[in-house]
Amino acid sequence: MPDYGDLKELPRQGKALIVTDLHGNLDDFNKIREIWKDLSSKDNHLILTGDFIHPMDGDDGSLDILDAVQADCEKYENNFHPLLGNHEWATILHISIYKGGINQTLKFEKLLKDKFGDAWRFKLDEYTNFFQKLPIAVKTDNEVFISHSGPSKGISSLNDLRNMTEKGYLDNIPLYELLWNRYGDYSAKDVDDFLKIVGCRAMIVGHTPVEGYKLIGNQLIVSSSFSRGKKAYVELDLEKDIENGHDLEKMVKYFQ
């Protein structure tokens, strides 16, 4: 996978499918790949906003998803954009992370041990190195900002985003906010203040489970797989002028 920095910027061409929080759901990942295949062209993109791993229950397809994501990064390097989520961040730092009261870090390690035996640490290091290459966010030319969560109150310019991980992954408050913040940690005004700084009019995030999607001011929260009901994604028209969050709302689609 090419390392193109912490911020990926997309031109005003084609479409971008935006999918959030798969959390090891291989069936949902395969569904979105089929949808993307139908739209496949040099101008169309697939953006995964992080948290590919760590299901709370059901079959754990984390390793299959990771292997496919790595392969697609090589095959479609200019059109496929997986982003860092808080669960990948925790893996980089070897920090225990819990979901539904379950230690997902230990569960993931057991998955590796069961599949790779004594070589499990080697595979963990391989995945960790891959996570460290993932961008933090995408900014589109039609002024949409896409990240796992956020916004961050510690950003003063786009350059802060482009160089975000140069300060490391631990004790990096702006990075932490873009991976962990939920509404209540910030307000609709904080969203607008952030968007003004990064030169955007609306943003799309995952992280917080909702029923399909929820619009808070100019922030669209989307649940594609780990959801409170409906499963949604966004088919963002990169050529269309985006004035506010309501324009994004019109581009929400649902899994069948």
Side-chain angles (χ1 to χ4, degrees):
M1 174 182 178
D3 188 347
Y4 44 46
D6 293 328
L7 181 66
K8 177 65 181 177
E9 298 179 66
L10 298 186
R12 192 180 279 255
Q13 294 176 309
K15 296 182 178 180
L17 297 185
I18 301 162
V19 180
T20 70
D21 299 73
L22 289 162
H23 281 301
N25 191 319
L26 185 60
D27 287 343
D28 285 349
F29 178 56
N30 286 333
K31 286 177 185 177
I32 202 66
R33 290 175 93 196
E34 287 300 314
I35 294 169
W36 186 41
K37 187 185 298 182
D38 290 341
L39 292 175
S40 184
S41 84
K42 65 181 179 61
D43 293 330
N44 292 334
H45 303 264
L46 175 56
I47 301 169
L48 306 179
T49 69
D51 283 8
F52 328 123
I53 59 175
H54 296 166
M56 188 167 72
D57 51 28
D59 293 335
D60 191 344
S62 295
L63 300 184
D64 293 313
I65 290 174
L66 271 177
D67 290 342
V69 166
Q70 286 180 305
D72 284 351
C73 281
E74 296 296 333
K75 186 175 181 180
Y76 308 107
E77 62 179 86
N78 295 317
N79 300 83
F80 182 54
H81 316 290
L83 306 182
L84 187 72
N86 60 305
H87 283 251
E88 290 82 25
W89 171 89
T91 303
I92 291 171
L93 294 173
H94 305 290
I95 290 174
S96 289
I97 188 168
Y98 291 81
K99 192 176 185 65
I102 298 170
N103 187 320
Q104 296 290 337
T105 301
L106 293 180
K107 186 179 177 183
F108 187 67
E109 289 181 359
K110 184 179 185 305
L111 199 66
L112 291 169
K113 291 172 184 176
D114 290 345
K115 183 170 183 177
F116 298 108
D118 292 341
W120 76 272
R121 288 188 182 276
F122 174 81
K123 290 301 296 186
L124 179 59
D125 287 343
E126 177 187 305
Y127 291 137
T128 298
N129 289 335
F130 173 70
F131 294 154
Q132 289 177 301
K133 296 180 181 179
L134 296 177
I136 307 303
V138 171
K139 179 183 181 296
T140 71
D141 191 61
N142 63 339
E143 300 183 347
V144 178
F145 187 88
I146 303 150
S147 58
H148 181 67
S149 186
S152 171
K153 299 175 185 177
I155 299 296
S156 59
S157 70
L158 272 179
N159 281 334
D160 289 345
L161 287 162
R162 293 186 179 109
N163 306 306
M164 179 163 281
T165 61
E166 287 184 3
K167 298 177 180 178
Y169 291 84
L170 188 63
D171 298 325
N172 187 334
I173 293 174
L175 174 61
Y176 185 90
E177 290 176 338
L178 281 173
L179 299 179
W180 284 92
N181 272 0
R182 301 186 194 274
Y183 187 67
D185 299 321
Y186 58 89
S187 66
K189 181 180 182 302
D190 292 327
V191 170
D192 288 342
D193 289 345
F194 174 80
L195 290 172
K196 187 178 297 184
I197 289 169
V198 299
C200 290
R201 294 178 180 270
M203 71 185 296
I204 301 171
V205 300
H207 187 54
T208 300
V210 295
E211 187 177 354
Y213 78 92
K214 183 174 183 179
L215 185 64
I216 299 175
N218 290 311
Q219 181 185 73
L220 188 73
I221 302 173
V222 179
S223 288
S224 297
S225 188
F226 186 63
S227 169
R228 288 185 173 175
K230 296 178 181 178
K231 296 181 178 183
Y233 64 98
V234 179
E235 188 176 303
L236 175 63
D237 187 338
L238 296 171
E239 299 174 18
K240 182 179 176 60
D241 289 338
I242 301 297
E243 297 296 330
N244 52 48
H246 290 291
D247 288 337
L248 297 180
E249 196 173 18
K250 300 169 188 174
M251 300 179 187
V252 172
K253 295 183 177 293
Y254 293 98
F255 289 108
Q256 298 298 318

